[in-house]
Amino acid sequence: MIHLELPLLLVAVLAGTGVYGILARRNAVLVLIGVELVLASAGLLMVTMGSTLADPLRAGHVLTIFVITIAAAEIAVALALVVAVFRARGDIDVTRAGEVDS
């Protein structure tokens, strides 16, 4: 049986760092890294709780595989959008997302 303190502390640190990266950064790639950190913390939390509870279906582990799959698809689409915006504008500043260049 694992102790819950360290995995839950790591989940809190990853989630906090990810939320800070989402809210405080202006670069779109760094915002995407923040989103990936939040998804990684959610996956770690599901695996940790799935390991401590007596679940014969291993739902936490299975859901983590789905989260990883969805995160991979999300990052592929998001990076394609970032590249398209960079080609059109020359920068990827998130604060200028709604502006139209003439």
Side-chain angles (χ1 to χ4, degrees), residues 6-98:
L6 289 178
L8 293 180
L9 179 66
L10 182 59
V11 164
V13 168
L14 283 175
T17 306
V19 168
Y20 175 75
I22 293 169
L23 296 177
R25 300 294 179 185
R26 295 183 350 183
N27 190 337
V29 174
L30 295 178
V31 171
L32 290 174
I33 291 173
V35 170
E36 291 298 318
L37 283 174
V38 170
L39 289 173
S41 70
L44 180 61
L45 182 63
M46 285 188 281
V47 168
T48 302
M49 290 297 117
S51 296
T52 59
L53 301 175
D55 185 13
L57 298 177
R58 300 286 183 201
H61 298 83
V62 173
L63 285 174
T64 302
I65 292 172
F66 283 117
V67 167
I68 291 171
T69 305
I70 290 170
E74 172 259 334
I75 201 70
V77 171
L79 283 177
L81 288 173
V82 166
V83 169
V85 168
F86 182 76
R87 286 183 181 170
R89 256 196 235 149
D91 68 341
I92 49 175
D93 190 4
V94 178
T95 58
R96 295 186 43 208

